[in-house]
Amino acid sequence: MHNGRSVEFERPPHGIRFLVTMAAAAASETLNFNVGVLGHIDSGKTSLARALSTTASTAAFDKNPQSRERGITLDLGFSSFCLPLPEHLKPHGDYTRLQVTLVDCPGHASLIRTIIGGSQIIDLMMLVIDVTKGMQTQSAECLVIGEITCPRLVVILNKIDLLPEAKKQVAIDKMTKKMQKTLENTRFNGCPIIPVAAKPGGPDAPETETAQGISELIELLISQTYMPKRDPSGSFLMAVDHCFSIRGQGTVMTGTILSGSVNVNDSVEIPSLKVSRKVKSMQMFRQPVNTAIQGDRVGICVTQFDPKQLERGLVCAPDSLYTLHAAIMSVKKIPYYKGSVHTKAKFHITVGHETVMGKVTFFSPAIEDFDSEPVMDRFDFDREYLYQEEYLSQAKDVDVDKSQADGSKVPRQQWALLEFEKPVTCPRLSLVIGSKLDTDIHANTCRLAFHGVLLEGFEEKNYAEVSLPKLKVYKLKHKEGQVERVSDDYNVIGRSLFKKETNMQLFVGMKVKLSTGEAGVIEGGFGQSGKFKVRIPAN
């Protein structure tokens, strides 16, 4: 089998071929760079990916039967094109060519969870804008996802062929300025904006129509490439987006490696099915390989299982992933989300390629620790945390005296306890996005509410009894009483704060504040009717 012989197999019913061979390929010479194609429905994303690509994978260009029937992308599509390695990347390794993998994400609002899953595997994002319409609701949501997940952006002003020739340049310049203004307060301020016509004449135009601006776009994409993090160490983890079987050979899983590496003959685990399978062969865009690493787009053929059980999900090194019933995340609210984000509210929680309903409980450091340096890679169960009724965005949200909250401070870091309605399988430090996907898709509003990093997970079904007691979250209570009389310069007697049966020893040493500004300490009870003694220390 090592003499380069190969066999081609058909995958019914669509005739998509997967080539299986044992011949080794120099995969290490190819640098894979993932470019996400995102934007509003009908902005021309798939046409753009088609115009750019010379080699399509099994999942490319709306192969899904529903996609073809409805004329929209329902799933992640993948295609690629290869180029000689750009000069600015040559000092970074022994690569000889650059493979640009295009991840075509669906634009329909109801499929935002698919977009979130796809965005986590991209190195650069192309935001496709219909030049005749400008920014639309889903364009804005894609931009938000890009800000969370992606370091670089290129804006594509598509469909310039629909502009009247006499006013074309004026219209392009006007939309370019609009987009520059939109991006001004984002991490993508000053990013490149380029006009194209991916499919002149629209979807029904003859294939002989030549796309406009594609060679310029390829040059721009090349200039925007960089050396992405590619670390073969660590546990193997792959996001699978398609799965199908090949009669007599096994089951093929296609996807992108999120961490680690995989080799032919390795065992891999499919955690959602609780099974392990041996890797029989692998390919990258029809080229056989023996090894694949983080960032690679790869097809893995394993010993047979029913592909219908894994259309999308995660594959990993055996025993490296955990199934969680609840988790703790470091959380940030997405500023474009209108309204408050309340404790006990339910959100769609997207972790990796899974989206489940979950209940959130927000908490922060103690007020004196609001300025503590954020810690994004671990959670400290030894600290005490302050319960919050909602994510804190303004000082008025802090239910304590303003002088304690320093007038306008909010904590530099906040956390949320996530309680999932269905267990999720994911690695530690996963990206988490909370959203309200049941919001009317026609409403002109951002449905993405918060995002963050998963720091700790609880595997036990009875986590509330077993694990949650380790989480020290307290509530601040505010009570008002009255000064009955002043005993001397340093002591007052108070009332109307406690019931007469209250055990006053529990409150000894607690601080109180007088309306005249002095601070005091409860020294104990006074008499039998719930009155108490407060000492005002001398300055």
Side-chain angles (χ1 to χ4, degrees):
M1 292 295 286
H2 289 275
N3 61 2
R5 286 188 292 123
S6 63
V7 186
E8 289 190 12
F9 297 89
E10 296 287 328
R11 175 204 177 186
H14 307 304
I16 299 169
R17 295 182 297 172
F18 186 82
L19 182 66
V20 179
T21 180
M22 295 302 292
S28 60
E29 295 176 5
T30 302
L31 172 64
N32 185 61
F33 192 81
N34 297 313
V35 176
V37 189
L38 289 86
H40 194 85
I41 186 171
D42 289 335
S43 58
K45 298 178 303 301
T46 302
S47 296
L48 182 66
R50 195 188 300 271
L52 283 166
S53 299
T54 54
T55 306
S57 79
T58 56
F61 307 142
D62 296 343
K63 287 287 195 294
N64 185 306
Q66 281 180 280
S67 292
R68 292 201 300 263
E69 188 180 312
R70 293 172 60 188
I72 61 171
T73 300
L74 296 177
D75 215 328
L76 298 176
F78 294 86
S79 55
S80 75
F81 59 92
C82 287
L83 301 159
L85 194 74
E87 285 296 324
H88 67 276
L89 295 179
K90 285 182 178 175
H92 299 286
D94 298 324
Y95 302 105
T96 58
R97 68 175 191 161
L98 174 70
Q99 175 175 274
V100 178
T101 297
L102 300 172
V103 186
D104 179 14
C105 296
H108 199 277
S110 61
L111 301 169
I112 195 79
R113 68 191 73 195
T114 307
I115 298 174
I116 295 170
S119 68
Q120 297 173 71
I121 59 175
I122 62 178
D123 303 311
L124 181 146
M125 176 173 144
M126 288 196 296
L127 181 63
V128 185
I129 303 291
D130 182 334
V131 73
T132 66
K133 295 176 181 174
M135 282 288 283
Q136 296 169 272
T137 306
Q138 281 81 63
S139 323
E141 287 184 336
C142 291
L143 183 57
V144 169
I145 293 168
E147 279 204 87
I148 295 167
T149 61
C150 190
R152 292 199 184 182
L153 176 76
V154 172
V155 175
I156 315 294
L157 302 181
N158 194 21
K159 303 189 180 183
I160 60 170
D161 57 299
L162 300 182
L163 298 171
E165 198 59 46
K167 299 178 181 177
K168 182 179 284 190
Q169 196 54 52
V170 173
I172 291 170
D173 291 345
K174 187 177 178 184
M175 188 56 72
T176 300
K177 282 179 183 170
K178 256 190 180 179
M179 288 306 302
Q180 286 169 338
K181 186 74 178 167
T182 301
L183 297 169
E184 219 169 45
N185 296 317
T186 73
R187 69 187 295 183
F188 302 125
N189 182 27
C191 79
I193 301 172
I194 185 170
V196 305
K199 187 75 167 68
D204 300 324
E207 294 299 327
T208 51
E209 286 286 342
T210 307
Q212 300 168 20
I214 296 302
S215 57
E216 292 85 352
L217 174 55
I218 289 174
E219 288 299 317
L220 175 59
L221 289 177
I222 291 170
S223 73
Q224 292 298 306
T225 57
Y226 59 93
M227 198 66 194
K229 182 187 173 187
R230 298 288 187 253
D231 183 5
S233 65
S235 296
F236 167 67
L237 178 65
M238 172 171 156
V240 174
D241 43 69
H242 286 80
C243 197
F244 56 90
S245 56
I246 299 173
R247 190 175 299 167
Q249 292 297 315
T251 301
V252 175
M253 303 176 291
T254 66
T256 304
I257 299 176
L258 301 178
S259 68
S261 61
V262 64
N263 301 290
V264 171
N265 294 325
D266 282 355
S267 285
V268 295
E269 182 185 348
I270 306 159
S272 61
L273 306 183
K274 295 182 170 58
V275 298
S276 291
R277 289 289 186 267
K278 187 177 179 181
V279 177
K280 298 175 74 177
S281 61
M282 297 191 296
Q283 286 184 18
M284 293 186 204
F285 289 97
R286 300 179 188 160
Q287 296 300 312
V289 295
N290 287 331
T291 301
I293 68 169
Q294 181 188 53
D296 285 337
R297 169 87 187 145
V298 68
I300 296 179
C301 185
V302 299
T303 46
Q304 194 78 45
F305 70 89
D306 182 359
K308 290 178 184 173
Q309 293 183 298
L310 184 75
E311 178 56 26
R312 179 179 292 118
L314 295 170
V315 176
C316 61
D319 302 319
S320 63
L321 281 194
Y322 306 98
T323 299
L324 307 178
H325 294 270
I328 293 171
M329 68 176 288
S330 178
V331 64
K332 286 185 179 178
K333 185 183 173 188
I334 291 168
Y336 306 101
Y337 183 79
K338 293 176 183 174
S340 302
V341 183
H342 290 278
T343 281
K344 306 296 183 195
K346 288 186 177 180
F347 289 87
H348 290 87
I349 307 295
T350 300
V351 188
H353 279 252
E354 290 193 69
T355 299
V356 300
M357 291 301 294
K359 184 176 74 173
V360 295
T361 302
F362 295 101
F363 55 97
S364 68
I367 291 165
E368 58 270 21
D369 296 325
F370 269 21
D371 284 330
S372 297
E373 192 69 29
V375 178
M376 302 308 295
D377 60 352
R378 65 186 184 279
F379 182 78
D380 187 355
F381 281 102
D382 293 330
R383 287 177 67 183
E384 289 190 342
Y385 299 91
L386 177 60
Y387 173 91
Q388 302 295 357
E389 292 290 349
E390 61 183 302
Y391 181 91
L392 298 185
S393 298
Q394 302 174 47
K396 66 180 177 60
D397 294 328
V398 184
D399 188 23
V400 291
D401 188 278
K402 278 194 176 181
S403 63
Q404 285 179 287
D406 219 3
S408 60
K409 283 187 179 176
V410 293
R412 292 182 63 187
Q413 184 171 17
Q414 296 180 59
W415 296 268
L417 170 68
L418 306 172
E419 298 180 81
F420 306 122
E421 290 191 355
K422 270 185 2 187
V424 297
T425 301
C426 62
R428 190 171 163 270
L429 302 181
S430 289
L431 167 70
V432 182
I433 295 181
S435 46
K436 286 283 190 183
L437 298 181
D438 46 4
T439 304
D440 180 5
I441 61 174
H442 303 295
N444 185 23
T445 181
C446 178
R447 297 170 297 161
L448 310 180
F450 58 85
H451 69 96
V453 178
L454 191 149
L455 300 176
E456 289 286 342
F458 303 126
E459 295 179 75
E460 311 88 354
K461 202 168 185 179
N462 60 339
Y463 66 90
E465 294 81 37
V466 176
S467 299
L468 282 195
K470 292 191 297 181
L471 181 60
K472 302 169 188 170
V473 177
Y474 65 91
K475 287 185 180 181
L476 281 176
K477 289 193 173 179
H478 180 84
K479 294 188 79 175
E480 290 188 5
Q482 293 175 318
V483 173
E484 182 169 88
R485 61 188 171 86
V486 177
S487 297
D488 55 42
D489 288 348
Y490 301 107
N491 293 282
V492 299
I493 306 300
R495 61 178 172 84
S496 304
L497 198 58
F498 304 105
K499 294 177 180 177
K500 63 179 181 180
E501 62 270 20
T502 300
N503 178 2
M504 294 301 298
Q505 287 305 307
L506 296 175
F507 298 91
V508 170
M510 285 193 174
K511 294 176 182 177
V512 297
K513 191 164 187 181
L514 276 62
S515 58
T516 48
E518 296 94 338
V521 177
I522 295 175
E523 289 204 323
F526 184 80
Q528 304 298 314
S529 59
K531 293 178 183 177
F532 55 96
K533 188 176 180 181
V534 175
R535 178 165 181 79
I536 314 292
N539 290 333

